[in-house]
């Protein structure tokens, strides 16, 4: 039978150890920035009942109507009502569900949570767009103040700054108003676009009935042109939402974050109210959004909780990695330092087959004593080959065990940089290695 060959599914990728040097750097930076603003980690399941997403993101959103990874439930009419499950396309809906299930609205409404993990969207894979991608997101519940919106934007920008981004980033902001404002605006937009529908692109024609706001963020040049005279939400914005928006802009400016006011930021998901924003890295072109977010004051109530405001964002790692590459970030030296964290500290070599067992035990002993990483050979290499491999691995020390050492409970410790060797009782090895490592670092 011919051998089968397999590839990672389209739109997914293996994150190999060398890729993870950068990705783990993003994860560490995300955690550190989130914690510095008082956000605690939350983890929700990778899949949810499908209706959680249809209810919150909107039946007509692109994500729900075209991009969901859905599997039928096997329990027809059983414990889950025979529903289907969907691999989460985003994190906000799950986090809001967890907030409601935890009863926080009543007992401790102010909660600030962050998450990091894979999301799934059945999109056409292209540069910066994957079917499985990582998001770092934050969600803050229980405060309606526009100061919180500004703080959340500031957190997103601080994440990018910590990665080395400078003034290349653009914070684009807009307001979607309150639901009544949106209803009025939807009708105005429909009246405006209806006469030009025949000349709009296929996407716009498709979105006209489903989500007329999305015509405003079409990137086709003729459509962009035709959008110039479209009615602005500002024309129908109620006084409270208007004051909120002004407060948000003022707070951003007070933070030194000059926003770009961009009426084409309408976001693709239905739950947004009032503030919406995106962080863009313009050189990435049409897919330049590194981060998107906004307020969703009706979502907790929609899921059966007491009315509770919420605001948050999610950063996509895919676009962030592309932008970092473009900017030559992190600098080569930083990447080398990150890689160095994984470099073995000690290589334990056995002189002959008889010492392989004791070498394994000694390696384990050293790790227990806090020396790490400790590596050794499992493929029967000669002593010469082991020593060559130790040199190539970049290990700071090699520990050599021969028959004499095993019988006397000692080991030969070789400092690879200094080229010095000494014979030590095994119980003293770890302390000696840790002492030398602390004086050289
Ligand atoms: P979103 O704009 O749909 O918002 O996604 C946020 C970010 O995730 C995007 O800016 C993009 O960088 C990245 N992203 C989205 N889809 C893909 C994909 N197929 N491949 C790679 N990256 C992708 C949300 O998900 C909201 N939950 C954000 C939010 C949180 N709003 C309030 N709180």
């Amino acid at each position: 039978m011919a051998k089968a060959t397999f590839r990672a599914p389209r739109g997914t990728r293996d994150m190999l150890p060398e890729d993870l040097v950068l990705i783990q750097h993003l994860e560490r930076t995300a955690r550190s920035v989130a914690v510095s603003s008082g956000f605690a980690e939350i983890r929700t399941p990778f899949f949810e009942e499908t209706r959680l997403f249809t209810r919150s993101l909107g039946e007509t959103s692109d994500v729900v109507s075209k991009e969901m990874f859905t599997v039928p439930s096997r329990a027809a009419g059983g414990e889950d009502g025979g529903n289907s499950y969907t691999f989460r396309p985003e994190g906000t809906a799950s986090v809001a569900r967890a907030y409601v299930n935890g009863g926080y609205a009543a007992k401790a409404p102010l909660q600030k949570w962050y998450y990091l993990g894979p999301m799934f969207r059945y999109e056409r894979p292209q540069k910066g767009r994957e079917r499985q991608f990582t998001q770092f997101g934050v969600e803050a519940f229980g405060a309606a103040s526009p100061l919180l919106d500004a703080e959340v934007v500031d957190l997103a920008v601080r994440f990018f700054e910590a990665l080395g981004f400078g003034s290349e980033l653009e914070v684009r902001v807009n307001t979607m108003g309150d639901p009544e404002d949106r209803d009025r605006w939807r009708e105005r937009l429909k009246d405006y676009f209806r006469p030009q529908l025949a000349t709009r692109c296929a996407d716009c024609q498709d979105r006209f009935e489903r989500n007329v706001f999305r015509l405003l963020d079409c990137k086709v040049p003729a459509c962009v042109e035709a959008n110039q005279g479209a009615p602005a939400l500002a024309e129908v914005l109620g006084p409270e939402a208007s004051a909120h928006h002004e407060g948000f802009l003022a707070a951003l400016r007070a933070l030194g974050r000059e926003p770009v006011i961009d009426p084409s930021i309408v976001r693709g998901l239905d739950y947004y109210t009032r503030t919406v924003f995106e962080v863009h890295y313009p050189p990435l072109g049409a897919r330049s959004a590194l981060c998107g977010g906004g307020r969703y004051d009706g979502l907790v109530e929609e899921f059966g909780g007491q009315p509770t405001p919420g605001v948050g964002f999610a950063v996509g790692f895919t676009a962030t990695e592309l932008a970092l590459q473009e900017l030559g970030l992190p600098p080569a030296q930083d990447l080398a330092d990150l890689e160095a964290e994984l470099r073995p500290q000690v290589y334990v070599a056995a002189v002959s087959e008889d010492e392989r067992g004791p070498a394994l035990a000694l390696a384990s002993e050293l790790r227990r004593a806090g020396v790490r990483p400790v590596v050794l050979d499992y493929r029967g290499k000669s002593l010469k080959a082991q020593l060559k491999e130790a040199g190539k691995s970049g290990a700071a020390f090699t520990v050599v065990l021969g028959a004499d050492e095993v019988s006397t409970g000692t080991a030969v410790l070789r400092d690879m940089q200094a080229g010095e060797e000494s014979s030590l009782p095994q119980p003293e090895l770890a302390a000696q290695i840790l002492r030398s490592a602390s004086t050289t670092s």
Side-chain angles (χ1 to χ4, degrees):
M1 203 164 65
K3 290 215 174 96
T5 54
F6 298 99
R7 294 194 161 278
R10 210 163 112 74
T12 71
R13 65 181 151 140
D14 298 312
M15 295 181 194
L16 300 167
E18 53 267 36
D19 304 321
L20 284 171
V21 170
L22 179 60
I23 293 167
Q24 289 181 346
H25 175 54
L26 299 189
E27 290 172 355
R28 269 194 300 264
T29 308
R31 289 183 196 288
S32 144
V33 173
V35 169
S36 80
S37 290
F39 284 72
E41 183 174 0
I42 175 167
R43 298 185 193 185
T44 60
F46 287 7
F47 61 91
E48 297 271 2
E49 279 188 65
T50 302
R51 61 195 179 93
L52 180 84
F53 301 116
T54 42
R55 273 299 276 273
S56 54
L57 314 186
E59 302 258 9
T60 59
S61 64
D62 280 357
V63 173
V64 167
S65 62
K66 305 189 216 163
E67 298 170 357
M68 301 231 282
F69 273 97
T70 297
V71 286
S73 151
R74 288 164 194 239
E79 83 226 43
D80 53 13
N83 262 317
S84 61
Y85 292 109
T86 294
F87 282 86
R88 60 182 190 191
E90 59 104 56
T92 313
S94 305
V95 171
R97 177 197 52 66
Y99 180 89
V100 172
N101 293 160
Y104 288 95
K107 65 179 187 211
L110 189 74
Q111 292 295 328
K112 303 198 297 187
W113 293 341
Y114 82 89
Y115 51 91
L116 259 171
M119 305 292 160
F120 307 86
R121 294 187 195 180
Y122 203 94
E123 288 201 60
R124 192 168 64 79
Q126 50 188 307
K127 195 173 169 218
R129 250 18 214 190
E130 298 181 285
R131 289 183 173 169
Q132 178 180 325
F133 56 99
T134 303
Q135 277 188 349
F136 156 48
V138 311
E139 314 292 352
F141 296 93
S145 163
L147 295 180
L148 183 58
D149 306 24
E151 186 172 82
V152 160
V153 171
D154 186 58
L155 204 168
V157 182
R158 278 196 294 119
F159 167 72
F160 294 113
E161 284 175 350
L163 294 173
F165 283 88
S167 55
E168 317 74 11
L169 293 180
E170 256 178 44
V171 178
R172 301 186 189 166
V173 305
N174 192 20
T175 176
M176 295 299 286
D178 286 322
E180 321 73 74
D181 305 333
R182 270 165 74 143
D183 291 346
R184 283 197 294 268
W185 191 33
R186 185 179 296 111
E187 291 318 308
R188 292 243 191 145
L189 285 173
K190 282 195 163 169
D191 291 346
Y192 175 81
F193 285 127
R194 199 169 285 111
Q196 40 166 278
L197 208 52
T199 58
R200 302 283 301 213
C201 72
D203 264 351
C204 285
Q205 293 184 0
D206 179 43
R207 287 169 172 166
F208 177 77
E209 284 301 339
R210 290 196 296 118
N211 186 349
V212 70
F213 306 121
R214 295 295 308 281
L215 271 65
L216 293 169
D217 78 355
C218 183
K219 307 288 183 295
V220 174
C223 299
V224 174
E225 178 107 354
N227 285 348
Q228 293 311 315
L233 175 65
E235 295 168 20
V236 291
L237 197 62
E240 286 177 11
S242 179
H244 185 95
H245 192 51
E246 290 308 318
F248 168 56
L249 295 178
L252 274 183
R253 291 183 178 126
L255 283 163
R257 307 273 183 217
E258 187 57 40
V260 175
I261 297 171
D262 182 349
S264 78
I265 302 287
V266 291
R267 314 282 300 129
L269 311 170
D270 272 9
Y271 50 61
Y272 289 110
T273 54
R274 300 191 175 186
T275 301
V276 285
F277 66 90
E278 292 179 356
V279 180
H280 283 255
Y281 177 66
L284 289 185
R287 299 258 175 224
S288 64
L290 307 182
C291 165
R295 206 163 248 293
Y296 43 84
D297 289 346
L299 189 56
V300 168
E301 194 177 1
E302 176 77 28
F303 288 166
Q306 291 173 22
T308 307
V311 58
F313 69 71
V315 168
F317 274 15
T318 320
T320 305
E321 287 168 62
L322 286 175
L324 285 172
Q325 272 164 20
E326 257 228 24
L327 284 166
L329 289 170
Q333 182 55 47
D334 289 358
L335 274 180
D337 290 349
L338 290 169
E339 241 154 1
E341 281 178 22
L342 279 174
R343 194 169 300 145
Q345 193 173 10
V346 175
Y347 189 106
V348 183
V351 173
S352 75
E353 283 308 303
D354 289 345
E355 290 83 44
R356 287 191 182 271
L360 192 68
L362 181 59
S364 173
E365 192 60 46
L366 290 173
R367 292 179 194 126
R368 257 195 308 250
V371 179
R372 47 187 299 217
V374 180
V375 298
L376 66 168
D377 169 58
Y378 316 99
R379 297 198 301 159
K381 285 192 164 140
S382 68
L383 177 64
K384 197 171 153 209
Q386 289 176 64
L387 295 178
K388 198 166 154 202
E389 187 173 64
K392 258 176 58 187
S393 75
F397 298 94
T398 306
V399 171
V400 185
L401 274 188
D404 284 353
E405 283 75 27
V406 170
S407 68
T408 54
T410 60
V412 174
L413 177 67
R414 183 180 172 83
D415 182 326
M416 304 292 276
Q417 258 216 313
E420 286 162 6
E421 270 187 12
S422 51
S423 178
L424 287 179
Q426 288 181 17
E428 289 173 24
L429 271 177
Q432 173 65 33
I433 291 168
L434 292 170
R435 212 170 20 245
S436 319
S438 70
T439 51
T440 50
S441 66

